[in-house]
Amino acid sequence: MRAPARGMAIALIATAVCASAARSSLIVAPDVSVRDGGMGGNVVATPTDGASTLLVNPAGVTRMRGTRLEDSIFLLFTSGRYSNAAIGYDTKSSELPVAPTLWIGTDKWRPWFFGFGLYGTAGASFNFPGNPATGIPNRFLSEFTVIQAGFVAGVHLTETLRLGAQVAPTYGAIKVRTGSPLGPVRYDIDGIGVNGVVGLLWEATRTTTFGLSWRSPTVIPMSGDGDVGDADEEVEIDFHTPQLVTFGLAHRLTPKLTVSLQARWSDYPEFEKGEFEFQNFPMLNQPFVSGARSTFRYGAGLEYAVAPWADLWLGVSREEWMIEEKSLSPLLYDTTDVLIGFGTGISRGRWTIRLVGGVASVEDRVATADSNPRFPGRYQLEGGVAGLGIRYLFSP
């Protein structure tokens, strides 16, 4: 084993063994539904469907009319690449996370509005193959899944001010496969926590609405079985996810055209509070993220009513990286991205069908040997999204 490769493998004990797909675009997705994706995720002031009510602003439940069922599937095409010229290691990871959303909402008990939904992402991962020629015999696989069940209630506080709240039991799972000088390392852990969201909508004028939401930090106690070499192992972590504050406005420029502006603050240093703990190999204990910073995602969206039965959406958002350069590894990195979404919705009778697509422009990151002696090199990401949604109105 060449010296640089040996150093890289030893570093896996302290870092990559404990890694998962923590990049902000997967764990804290800007959007994982159809209309939201078409608007670039900028819907805090225009939560007009179940997905935006669940994902962004629970006050959107107060805009429901009748009883409706919504279902959508959102595909995230992701491709990562890590190259380290010093050891000749250059690999790619192409994955397809899936984000399903199911919602049922009603205004049957007005002035109270209620809804329930399931949402989240599954299969968000990095999966880099091994390369024995560089001294790395095993693949690097880290996979993250989070599914939430949202119970939502909302009410009109005044004619122009609406309040919504969501309680969301949350299931999380982490899967890791990698190598180390102690032999192959494998573990599968999962657990359940509880998340909360509060949102407001204020109709300042007939044409301007302000939106605000706060998603609480979450702690998900996870545990499960694993192996280190030929030895059985127990792994656990109190997994912390960040609190989010989202605010923005929507202004109707014309009877057919609405523009939305939005910013979301994410408290990513919360990730640092979670530490993987190995029962028999405590030298492997490591924070989920050892260095992170809070960031803002800024964006704007357009919604145009082509006809009473057809809408068009266009949106863009940008967020800078959140993981410090010193903490980057082949299984744990993120980048600065610009996301562009577009889509359409067509209604006929009680049915509505929605389609969405999107692309990402991502900046490469380069870690120097001085700042990151364990994993220097170039980190790249690219990807896009596609989705299909269906809504059925039970009662007008």
Side-chain angles (χ1 to χ4, degrees), residues 10-11 25 27 57 66 72 95 111 123 131 180 190-191 242 252 265 321:
I10 292 173
S25 59
I27 285 185
N57 191 344
S72 69
E95 311 305 322
N131 187 341
S180 79
D190 61 1
R252 194 166 65 249
W265 174 75
W321 55 264

Side-chain angles (χ1 to χ4, degrees), residues 348-373:
R348 286 299 188 192
R350 295 173 181 255
W351 293 92
T352 299
I353 296 178
R354 293 169 166 175
L355 300 171
V356 67
V359 295
S361 175
V362 184
E363 300 177 12
D364 296 351
R365 296 189 66 184
V366 176
T368 66
D370 290 337
S371 64
N372 189 338

Side-chain angles (χ1 to χ4, degrees), residues 374-395:
R374 296 173 299 179
F375 297 107
R378 181 176 295 275
Y379 295 83
Q380 299 169 277
L381 282 173
E382 61 183 18
V385 299
L388 168 68
I390 299 174
R391 181 175 69 194
Y392 180 75
L393 188 63
F394 287 101
S395 59

Side-chain angles (χ1 to χ4, degrees), residues 123-201:
S125 65
F126 289 116
N127 189 3
F128 292 98
N131 187 341
T134 64
I136 307 299
N138 302 103
R139 64 171 173 160
F140 306 151
L141 168 66
S142 58
E143 181 176 294
F144 187 87
T145 294
V146 57
I147 300 295
Q148 295 181 297
F151 298 86
V152 183
V155 66
H156 289 240
L157 297 178
T158 69
E159 290 185 0
T160 60
L161 185 62
R162 309 175 187 211
L163 171 68
Q166 176 185 171
V167 176
T170 303
Y171 170 78
I174 295 175
K175 175 181 179 180
V176 169
R177 304 286 186 272
T178 190
S180 79
L182 301 179
V185 175
R186 173 197 68 84
Y187 60 84
D188 296 81
I189 59 177
D190 61 1
I192 296 176
V194 179
N195 189 263
V197 193
V198 178
L200 289 170
L201 286 172

Side-chain angles (χ1 to χ4, degrees), residues 14 30 37 63 73 76 194 238 264-265 304 326:
R63 291 187 166 186
I73 188 72
L76 296 87
V194 179
D238 286 338
R264 185 189 72 191
W265 174 75
Y304 183 70
K326 66 180 181 180

